[in-house]
Amino acid sequence: MKTSRRKFIFSGVLISAGTILLPGFLSLKASGKIMTVNGLIPSEKMGFTLAHEHVMVDFIGASDASKSRYNVDDVIKVASPFLKEIKEQGVQTFVDCTPAYVGRDVTVLKRLADSIGMNLITTTGYYGAVKEKLVPMHAFTESAQQLANRWVNEWKNGIEGTNIRPGLIKTSTDKGPLTPVQRKLIEAAAITHLETGLIIGIHTGDGAAAFEQLDILKKQGVSPAARIWFHAQSEPDQAFHIKAAKLGCWVSFDGVNPQTLSDNLGYLKTMKAQGLLQRVLVSQDSGWYNVGEPGGGNFNPYTCILNDFIPLLKENGFTPQELDLLFQANPQAAFSIKVRRT
């Protein structure tokens, strides 16, 4: 059966032909604005949101990253069917978490957003994990303030000569303790947040790194509520998840795939039992067109949450209102542009 004809009915959650009907949605709306590649939208226009995905990545390293390494039309040809598939199933907003020097191309995202009719969000910031291989050379010598000036400039004036602005500060670290450069990236993200109100999403190696990041943000006067802990599932000790959420941090379980369904169900059950679902984001970290591989390599679909994980959550007692919270209300609150101080 073709995807465009599918209907997904999860005991009160209907996703069909681009429409999502979720009981309780009106009572959970967040006020605010979201920055997409097509400009500002009211946060309530986000609808069903995948909060951490990728269209294209390039892991060659910052010194060799270049737009000459791929053909834009080829990327769009490969990625379009996967985005169309989830748009037809009801996904309205897609957060592309690819930073600069790792395959971020806002012109690709703009063309996809326009052709498919989906809200796409892009990033500013640098990726410090993988032993800083993907960090540009100037970041090793510039101060946190100088790096923040670069990122704030993308917010104020657009990315790479376009009028496209970021809706997210994306950076990353390895496991704790953080290196001096990784600490500097977090400091720069804090400065950028205070000037822009953009949420800070940090790919994080483990719980120790997560709390070292929070200490850095606190010293800069930034609230834990301004930080998304991306890849919280990389830390198996759920005490870290609970502590971070109780501090107000967004805890993102964004590695949902067919092999991790049970693990992620367990994480969400724990957060539900603790009364902390209002601080949780869920996504897949899926895709992507891999620059350097023939045809972009093995592109993973974005459908596991829709086809497999939501039915599993329903089978395990998650209500339509709780699904609404995870996939609509929480992303609206997290990505709304707002300075969050300590």
Side-chain angles (χ1 to χ4, degrees):
M1 183 181 294
K2 292 184 179 180
T3 303
S4 61
R5 294 173 182 255
R6 292 178 183 164
K7 290 184 179 179
F8 299 85
I9 302 177
F10 307 138
S11 302
V13 181
L14 171 63
I15 303 180
S16 175
T19 301
I20 298 182
L21 303 175
L22 292 166
F25 174 62
L26 291 177
S27 65
L28 293 170
K29 284 185 178 180
S31 61
K33 297 288 186 181
I34 309 295
M35 181 59 73
T36 76
V37 296
N38 280 314
L40 287 170
I41 63 169
S43 59
E44 60 265 25
K45 296 294 186 182
M46 289 181 77
F48 192 102
T49 297
L50 294 177
H52 186 140
E53 307 294 339
H54 298 276
V55 167
M56 176 174 65
V57 297
D58 188 352
F59 293 125
I60 194 172
S63 60
D64 295 314
S66 168
K67 295 185 187 301
S68 66
R69 285 177 37 80
Y70 58 88
N71 180 282
V72 167
D73 290 336
D74 288 344
V75 176
I76 291 172
K77 181 179 179 180
V78 170
S80 287
F82 295 96
L83 288 168
K84 287 178 180 177
E85 182 177 24
I86 57 173
K87 171 65 187 305
E88 290 168 355
Q89 295 181 21
V91 176
Q92 292 167 265
T93 299
F94 178 104
V95 183
D96 185 282
C97 287
T98 310
Y101 302 97
V102 194
R104 181 191 69 174
D105 188 327
V106 298
T107 61
V108 167
L109 299 181
K110 177 72 163 59
R111 284 180 57 181
L112 288 168
D114 290 345
S115 64
I116 295 168
M118 181 181 287
N119 301 318
L120 266 66
I121 294 172
T122 191
T123 73
T124 193
Y126 297 159
Y127 191 92
V130 199
K131 298 181 178 180
E132 297 146 21
K133 171 185 176 181
L134 302 168
V135 177
M137 289 304 299
H138 63 254
F140 291 89
T141 56
E142 291 185 355
S143 68
Q145 182 65 63
Q146 288 173 313
L147 294 177
N149 291 344
R150 291 175 179 268
W151 303 347
V152 171
N153 181 64
E154 291 192 329
W155 167 252
K156 290 181 176 178
N157 300 310
I159 296 171
E160 298 172 349
T162 72
N163 63 356
I164 299 169
R165 296 197 284 165
L168 165 72
I169 304 162
K170 171 68 185 295
T171 187
S172 70
T173 73
D174 293 313
K175 294 181 179 181
L178 306 186
T179 67
V181 169
Q182 290 171 3
R183 290 183 63 88
K184 181 166 61 175
L185 293 178
I186 306 307
E187 292 172 4
I191 296 167
T192 304
H193 170 76
L194 292 173
E195 293 197 40
T196 65
L198 294 174
I199 193 76
I200 304 167
I202 311 176
H203 166 122
T204 302
D206 64 2
F211 279 85
E212 189 173 351
Q213 294 162 13
L214 290 179
D215 287 341
I216 296 168
L217 296 177
K218 182 179 180 180
K219 289 176 182 177
Q220 296 288 328
V222 174
S223 167
R227 196 277 300 267
I228 301 173
W229 176 0
F230 282 140
H231 306 324
Q233 71 276 358
S234 296
E235 174 51 72
D237 185 348
Q238 296 181 70
F240 283 100
H241 307 156
I242 293 166
K243 183 179 179 181
K246 286 183 175 179
L247 289 172
C249 176
W250 294 100
V251 180
S252 180
F253 302 106
D254 43 46
V256 177
N257 62 57
Q259 289 72 48
T260 65
L261 294 174
S262 178
D263 288 344
N264 282 288
L265 173 63
Y267 294 138
L268 292 193
K269 280 185 172 181
T270 296
M271 299 302 272
K272 178 178 176 176
Q274 293 289 324
L276 294 170
L277 281 185
Q278 75 275 11
R279 304 310 299 173
V280 172
L281 298 172
V282 181
S283 204
Q284 300 159 134
D285 193 22
S286 198
W288 49 68
Y289 186 100
N290 199 330
V291 176
E293 294 188 9
N298 182 27
F299 202 110
N300 293 312
Y302 304 117
T303 52
C304 186
I305 281 175
L306 296 170
N307 294 358
D308 303 315
F309 196 51
I310 286 179
L312 181 63
L313 291 174
K314 292 297 296 181
E315 290 169 7
N316 283 272
F318 282 77
T319 67
Q321 290 80 7
E322 289 167 340
L323 296 178
D324 188 4
L325 188 69
L326 292 170
F327 295 106
Q328 297 202 56
N330 286 355
Q332 289 174 25
F335 290 96
S336 287
I337 300 164
K338 176 183 178 182
V339 175
R340 299 148 166 110
R341 301 180 186 272
T342 52

